[in-house]
Amino acid sequence: MNRVFAIILTLTIVFLLPLQVSAQKSKFPDVTQFHGEIELLTSRGVITGFNDGTFRPKANITRADAIIMLMRELKIPLNEVRNPNFKDLKPGDRGYSEIAMAVQLEIVSGKPGNIFDPKGTLTRGEMAKILAITYDLGGIFPYGFPDVAFEHWTFPYISALAANNITVGFNDGRFQPGLPITREHFSVFMARIVNPDLRPYNPKVADSFLEAMFAMEIIDYVAHPTDSIIFLLDAQENAIIAFNHETYDADYIQLKLPAEKIAYANGKLYATQLTGVRSPFIKDEDMRGAFAVIDATTMTLERIINIKLDPFDIAADDNGVVYISSGSAQWTSVQSFNSVTGEVLSTQGIRHRSYLAMHPDQNRLYSINTDSSPRTMRVYSINEGKLGPEIRSPYHGDYSLNQDIAITPDGKYIINSRGHFFRSTVTPSADMRYVATLDQTYSSIAFDVEYGEFYTSNKQNWIQAYDYITLRPIYQLTTYGNVEKMFYQNDILVIFSKVKLGNSPRTFIGIEKIYY
């Protein structure tokens, strides 16, 4: 699982950022470009220039001067510093206190032989590392400089600066990490971090923030209702992963029997467990299967419940009742089970291979068939874990439906990826009634009901935002990868996408975010 869940945080970039000349002039007579950036740092006391009044923008910056500028910008008190004990730096030397504090903060370290080389030049790669660490910059830009190998130690830092639209390349497309950096370019990088308004427009920088990439094959996702956790079912390892997208902590449990679908309710995870081969010709009495009950906090297996059903989809409620639709036998059943004892609580008719959607109120269960045309929705009432007889949709082929069904977080609508919205209500005569259709289909959808927006994507590298009241499109957002799944949690749009690294033929699962 370490291999599967390894987060790739080291990528490169290939885009060029144009040199921009601000209309605001610098006080230094030898500054001919980047006036705004240099004037910003001058006004903040970061840049003072030389005794002759010049800035010397084309001169290479020394390691000591770079650290002095950083400490001035950070405004960190320097009255109490620990001696780093470098052979070439002693108390009273220029930059001693600033360098000692930077070492203390683990922003920089020395060179072999226990020296710091304060008068030595700083390379572009070293610059990227220092700035990324100092300002806690993260993110991935999934392109590559031809002169920076994937294994190069500067990868995570260059990538972080690029993801934040700070770093620049040369006209030939190279980054040149070993080249000394000039005083003006170091100033530009720092100014763009301090004031994001100075960052130039670049169409290759997406609206999302690519934070990590994984080598997994995710076949099902379930979001925790309150915490920043998303449960992932990885087909490669047949494992369920509890992934915290804020801390990037992860825990997992590997299952012995094949799993296809998972559900979460009240601190428990439930997973379908296949024990045989599906077939429309199997009789109900010959079907076999199971479901797993997992403690979602500790990610430990509590029990396996064997059932006389070939599980296809699964739902659960807070009372520990599990609802499973059959994957075999054509006209078959959906059943509810006591997840502790395994007792069958109820059985109702259903078309095999039907997907399920639990209403947020947990008083009714919706389904949609997948193997026949036209597709039809059904609803089953729930009373103390027992399913009532099916009520079919009032429409038969009037609205073409894809093989999915979901309920909006507020429970008002049943939705299908064809873009159709249907009413969800306990009143049978009004339930599943058509409301409206979006202007386009989607493969993934996420809702921010509180602020009245929702977001769709159709396996492309852009997202359409809608007004939740009018269902009208309002704006678009770009992503780095093709969107597979989205969740809105704690003011963050969390996006699982398929991303490639530069010209690599392999596709990874990317974790992209849009912060609101």
Side-chain angles (χ1 to χ4, degrees), residues 14 24 41 134 140 169 176 192 228-229 240 259 270 276 282 326 414 421 432 442 458 469 479 496:
V14 71
Q24 183 181 16
L41 298 186
T134 301
I140 299 169
Q176 299 193 28
R192 288 176 178 173
S228 299
I229 295 175
I240 303 174
Y270 305 94
I282 296 176
S326 170
I414 310 157
F421 276 59
M432 298 180 286
Y442 64 85
N458 200 12
I469 302 299
T479 57
F496 291 82

Side-chain angles (χ1 to χ4, degrees), residues 13 15-22 33-38 40-41 44 73 124 127 131 135 137 160-162 164-169 175 184-202:
I13 59 171
F15 67 95
L16 302 177
L17 302 183
L19 299 182
Q20 294 190 341
V21 179
S22 171
Q33 60 182 352
F34 305 119
H35 297 291
E37 290 87 345
I38 292 174
L40 170 69
L41 298 186
R44 295 172 68 98
E73 199 286 314
R124 289 169 57 83
M127 171 277 304
L131 291 181
Y135 293 98
L137 299 176
L161 263 65
N164 288 275
N165 200 13
I166 295 164
T167 191
V168 300
F175 183 79
E184 69 175 353
H185 283 166
F186 186 85
S187 301
V188 167
F189 292 149
M190 181 185 291
R192 288 176 178 173
I193 295 173
V194 173
N195 183 1
D197 291 338
L198 294 172
R199 300 174 192 180
Y201 168 75
N202 190 297

Side-chain angles (χ1 to χ4, degrees), residues 46-258:
V46 176
I47 293 174
T48 57
F50 292 88
N51 291 335
D52 61 1
T54 63
F55 178 65
R56 303 178 191 178
K58 304 300 181 183
N60 297 330
I61 195 167
T62 66
R63 288 166 57 83
D65 282 344
I67 300 304
I68 290 172
M69 288 177 61
L70 279 177
M71 291 301 108
R72 286 174 178 170
E73 199 286 314
L74 295 175
K75 294 180 172 56
I76 296 177
L78 302 175
N79 52 342
E80 294 184 10
V81 296
R82 295 193 297 265
N83 192 334
N85 296 313
F86 291 123
K87 294 179 180 179
D88 57 350
L89 187 71
K90 61 182 184 298
D93 289 348
R94 184 176 183 277
Y96 167 81
S97 296
E98 291 86 350
I99 293 170
M101 179 56 70
V103 172
Q104 192 170 320
L105 296 175
E106 298 182 350
I107 293 173
V108 294
S109 58
K111 290 186 174 183
N114 195 31
I115 63 172
F116 185 77
D117 189 19
K119 296 182 180 180
T121 58
L122 189 73
T123 67
R124 289 169 57 83
E126 291 169 336
M127 171 277 304
K129 179 178 180 179
I130 289 173
L131 291 181
I133 292 176
T134 301
Y135 293 98
D136 194 24
L137 299 176
I140 299 169
F141 200 95
Y143 296 94
F145 283 117
D147 60 336
V148 182
F150 179 79
E151 300 80 9
H152 201 273
W153 64 268
T154 60
F155 255 62
Y157 314 112
I158 294 172
S159 184
L161 263 65
N164 288 275
N165 200 13
I166 295 164
T167 191
V168 300
F170 289 92
N171 291 334
D172 60 3
R174 295 179 297 165
F175 183 79
Q176 299 193 28
L179 192 71
I181 187 168
T182 62
R183 289 169 54 83
E184 69 175 353
H185 283 166
F186 186 85
S187 301
V188 167
F189 292 149
M190 181 185 291
R192 288 176 178 173
I193 295 173
V194 173
N195 183 1
D197 291 338
L198 294 172
R199 300 174 192 180
Y201 168 75
N202 190 297
K204 290 188 177 181
V205 177
D207 295 312
S208 61
F209 200 64
L210 179 60
E211 295 192 355
M213 302 178 74
F214 307 105
M216 291 190 295
E217 183 184 348
I218 305 175
I219 58 174
D220 200 14
Y221 308 74
V222 174
H224 193 284
T226 56
D227 298 341
S228 299
I229 295 175
I230 297 174
F231 300 100
L232 313 172
L233 178 55
D234 176 27
Q236 288 186 109
E237 300 293 328
N238 195 42
I240 303 174
I241 301 160
F243 172 59
N244 188 312
H245 62 78
E246 287 191 356
T247 65
Y248 282 83
D249 292 332
D251 199 0
Y252 75 97
I253 180 171
Q254 199 160 21
L255 301 171
K256 293 183 179 180
L257 294 171

